[in-house]
Amino acid sequence: MIVSSADWIKVKSYLNDAKMWLFLITVDLALWQGILTSRINDPQLTTTIFFWLVALFILWKKRNELTISSQPWRNFIGIFLLAVIMYRGLLLFWYENFVLQFIPFFSLLSLALIASGWGGLKQYIRPLLAFLVFSLVDGISTKLFTSLPHSISFTQQTTNFSAFLLHYLGFEVVQEGVFIDLPNGSVEVLYACTGGPLISLLLQLTLVLFIVAPIPWNLASKILFGLFGLGFFLGVARVALLAVVVSDDKAFAYWHGDEGNQIFSLAAFTVWIIIAHFTYEHYEKEWQESPAEEPKGEEDASPVSHSEASTSSYPWFLSGLGIVVTFITLSTFFFPQIGRRQVPPLSFPSQISLEGWNKESSAPLQEEKGQRSEYIQEFRSGQVYNYRQGDTEITVELMHLGGTFGNVNGFAGKYRGLGEVYRGQGEQSSKEGLGTYQLFHDDTHAYLSACLTSQGESTSEIDEFVRKMNRNLLKVNSRLISGIVGNRSLRERNCLWVHLSTPLQGESPEKSYDVLESVFEEGYSKWQGLF
């Protein structure tokens, strides 16, 4: 095949087009983040694709208005920022969806700085705003929704409405706090089961729609209110369905897992698409009927020198950057472990001495078949120790869990079958310098359970674990620096679950509780030192 001179000139003009290289690099970064997002099974993969498509759509429409700088050495901040982003992305832990949320914004920001410098950032305001919505809205809305007073919280209101719906449909339902009990079983309603995450998703999509198609505030508020109600009642319906199928393990796993969740998400997304269609039609109609200003062309834009506006004097640098980004994207695709690092398991000694107690035996713990819960938490290692003091026996179980949110109730139910006992008898206690822990008992034994982290005091509930994890994230110290450079996770979702048990001492469990608390206090620093 012979390439004519005209074709070669056309190809050469494409290769010398800096804007084309800028667009291709953006596409490359979108593919790279998509690979990372799918690799950690982030539920926001669809949302991530949507936001990248919006950004690419906006950039493509503005391609004739973009001004590309021809002096890359002045834009070293953008080069450095992009290098940090890609380096950290390659060292991603398998549960670090938190980090992934900020990659699109900072990736586009770094490209804008590389291509146009600080003075040209205003050209990228709309796609940057879209990615800022993607990065912040979910976290902010989740924080607001989970900070509501208990009586009006999402979990409590979802439980109330779901129980009422089941009662209205003729089921024999009993509600106890955030638990729904039916004759065939019971479910505990957590925030992740409510419509809160779905509302956060709809809010993200809708705010981006308002960026692309600005509409009057009175119409926008009605749309937001309607989508809020849609998300809440879809959450109510899902919880009610889970309560009905709780006795069927296969059905419950389906509706509680990604497949069932995506059905409700698809229903919400379908309604949103219909609303978005009519909203955009309304925007176009208003724009056509109103005496809008003519878009500024190059003749109306602020004067720039020929060298600054040129798109042919800068392709050598962007083409080299494009080759590097493409190589990293392909490497990420072909090497499955990139971007999915595991938490190193803790190493447990065969002996841990407790003052006043004689160690009788110890053995490593193994995860039993059917206990694995990938992408929620991951068993890493464990050890069980048995001690005796006179006639009193005590068992200390240490289990290292990665990618968790510190749900001690869930640990007790999943790993020891004590979920119902925990809920019925549990009481939270705390000691200064140690943190909080849960005490509970059944007919034969008393138990103490707590989640120890490398970041400080023990916790026993999800909200407390997340609150301390986020608080430590904001501290500028060596831990934060290690998280940024990838030596450790930015949000250390690691828990050393400490589960103590001892036979009941007499009719009252209080005496046994005293024994457990004394052992917990004695062993705390030694267990904490395992991190």
Side-chain angles (χ1 to χ4, degrees):
M1 179 179 178
I2 300 176
V3 179
S4 65
S5 57
D7 291 336
W8 173 246
I9 292 173
K10 192 174 182 180
V11 170
K12 191 174 180 181
S13 68
Y14 283 139
L15 294 176
N16 286 330
D17 188 348
K19 293 179 182 178
M20 183 204 73
W21 283 109
L22 176 63
F23 190 81
L24 289 178
I25 294 171
T26 308
V27 173
D28 254 348
L29 287 172
L31 292 173
W32 179 67
Q33 199 212 352
I35 294 169
L36 292 177
T37 305
S38 63
R39 186 155 292 172
I40 67 172
N41 276 26
D42 192 312
Q44 290 197 333
L45 177 60
T46 305
T47 313
T48 302
I49 294 172
F50 170 80
F51 275 84
W52 273 111
L53 288 175
V54 169
L56 289 169
F57 171 73
I58 295 173
L59 287 176
W60 181 257
K61 288 190 69 175
K62 290 174 63 67
R63 65 189 184 279
N64 295 325
E65 303 170 27
L66 293 178
T67 300
I68 306 295
S69 169
S70 59
Q71 297 175 331
W73 53 86
R74 292 186 179 178
N75 307 329
F76 68 93
I77 295 178
I79 300 170
F80 175 76
L81 182 59
L82 183 61
V84 170
I85 291 166
M86 301 208 76
Y87 169 79
R88 188 60 181 85
L90 295 175
L91 297 177
L92 205 68
F93 284 88
W94 68 269
Y95 57 83
E96 282 192 313
N97 51 351
F98 161 76
V99 176
L100 273 178
Q101 282 183 284
F102 290 90
I103 285 181
F105 174 79
F106 286 107
S107 296
L108 188 60
L109 176 62
S110 63
L111 278 184
L113 290 173
I114 292 170
S116 303
W118 290 104
L121 276 182
K122 60 184 178 181
Q123 303 174 101
Y124 307 88
I125 288 297
R126 289 171 70 191
L128 283 173
L129 281 176
F131 280 142
L132 196 61
V133 167
F134 173 75
S135 300
L136 297 178
V137 168
D138 182 55
I140 293 174
S141 60
T142 300
K143 178 64 176 176
L144 289 175
F145 294 159
T146 55
S147 299
L148 293 172
H150 178 71
S151 59
I152 60 172
S153 66
F154 262 90
T155 52
Q156 189 60 58
Q157 292 303 314
T158 300
T159 307
N160 295 343
F161 276 83
S162 297
F164 174 78
L165 176 62
L166 290 170
H167 174 74
Y168 181 79
L169 293 175
F171 289 91
E172 296 180 14
V173 58
V174 176
Q175 180 188 349
E176 181 184 342
V178 294
F179 290 86
I180 297 177
D181 297 322
L182 290 173
N184 59 339
S186 65
V187 293
E188 179 186 6
V189 182
L190 301 176
Y191 173 75
C193 304
T194 70
L198 192 55
I199 292 173
S200 296
L201 170 62
L202 293 173
L203 189 59
Q204 285 178 302
L205 300 177
T206 306
L207 289 179
V208 171
L209 173 64
F210 294 161
I211 292 172
V212 175
I215 59 175
W217 170 245
N218 60 341
L219 177 58
S221 60
K222 292 176 182 177
I223 292 174
L224 289 173
F225 183 78
L227 292 175
F228 186 95
L230 173 66
F232 178 78
F233 284 106
L234 282 175
V236 168
R238 183 182 178 217
V239 169
L241 177 60
L242 289 172
V244 171
V245 302
V246 67
S247 60
D248 186 338
D249 292 340
K250 188 174 181 180
F252 183 82
Y254 177 85
W255 289 107
H256 190 258
D258 289 339
E259 297 90 345
N261 185 38
Q262 287 177 8
I263 291 176
F264 288 92
S265 299
L266 180 61
F269 193 65
T270 302
V271 174
W272 182 86
I273 289 175
I274 296 172
I275 293 175
H277 171 73
F278 288 107
T279 300
Y280 198 80
E281 277 195 346
H282 174 85
Y283 163 73
E284 283 194 324
K285 182 179 179 182
E286 291 290 324
W287 182 79
Q288 291 171 1
E289 292 178 354
S290 62
E293 294 183 4
E294 291 293 327
K296 288 185 178 182
E298 290 185 0
E299 68 277 8
D300 297 321
S302 57
V304 293
S305 66
H306 176 71
S307 62
E308 291 176 330
S310 173
T311 61
S312 61
S313 58
Y314 192 34
W316 63 269
F317 181 78
L318 287 179
S319 61
L321 181 63
I323 293 171
V324 171
V325 174
T326 300
F327 175 77
I328 294 174
T329 301
L330 291 174
S331 300
T332 305
F333 177 78
F334 285 110
F335 294 94
Q337 293 308 312
I338 293 180
R340 196 164 187 261
R341 291 168 67 196
Q342 298 288 340
V343 178
L346 293 180
S347 178
F348 294 97
S350 60
Q351 297 184 20
I352 297 180
S353 61
L354 297 177
E355 187 176 351
W357 291 85
N358 297 319
K359 186 186 76 68
E360 293 200 324
S361 63
S362 72
L365 284 173
Q366 301 293 333
E367 188 173 34
E368 296 179 10
K369 186 177 180 180
Q371 287 183 337
R372 185 171 178 82
S373 185
E374 196 172 14
Y375 308 121
I376 298 176
Q377 65 192 26
E378 188 174 48
F379 175 89
R380 302 302 293 147
S381 58
Q383 191 86 7
V384 58
Y385 303 88
N386 295 300
Y387 300 89
R388 177 179 290 275
Q389 186 182 76
D391 295 332
T392 304
E393 299 176 0
I394 192 165
T395 300
V396 177
E397 296 178 83
L398 305 179
M399 192 177 293
H400 179 208
L401 302 169
T404 182
F405 285 109
N407 183 12
V408 173
N409 182 10
F411 301 159
K414 176 180 177 181
Y415 294 105
R416 293 297 169 262
L418 296 171
E420 293 295 325
V421 176
Y422 183 103
R423 174 160 69 101
Q425 304 291 341
E427 58 181 69
Q428 187 180 78
S429 297
S430 64
K431 280 193 176 183
E432 186 175 355
L434 300 182
T436 61
Y437 49 89
Q438 284 282 347
L439 296 167
F440 57 104
H441 69 277
D442 56 18
D443 294 336
T444 60
H445 285 76
Y447 306 96
L448 184 151
S449 271
C451 172
L452 274 61
T453 72
S454 61
Q455 304 174 27
E457 298 179 339
S458 65
T459 64
S460 60
E461 296 181 347
I462 295 177
D463 292 345
E464 186 182 20
F465 180 89
V466 173
R467 187 165 57 248
K468 290 188 176 183
M469 180 177 61
N470 291 338
R471 187 168 64 239
N472 281 284
L473 177 64
L474 299 176
K475 293 181 179 178
V476 181
N477 52 25
S478 59
R479 186 184 300 277
L480 177 62
I481 295 172
S482 297
I484 293 174
V485 300
N487 290 338
R488 65 200 314 164
S489 173
L490 272 168
R491 298 175 83 196
E492 291 195 71
R493 285 171 49 189
N494 292 305
C495 170
L496 176 59
W497 179 41
V498 177
H499 182 66
L500 313 181
S501 61
T502 186
L504 286 175
Q505 303 291 323
E507 297 181 358
S508 174
E510 277 69 26
K511 185 178 179 180
S512 298
Y513 288 164
D514 291 339
V515 173
L516 293 173
E517 288 178 305
S518 66
V519 171
F520 183 67
E521 188 171 6
E522 166 66 22
Y524 182 87
S525 60
K526 299 176 182 179
W527 303 326
Q528 183 81 34
L530 294 173
F531 281 103

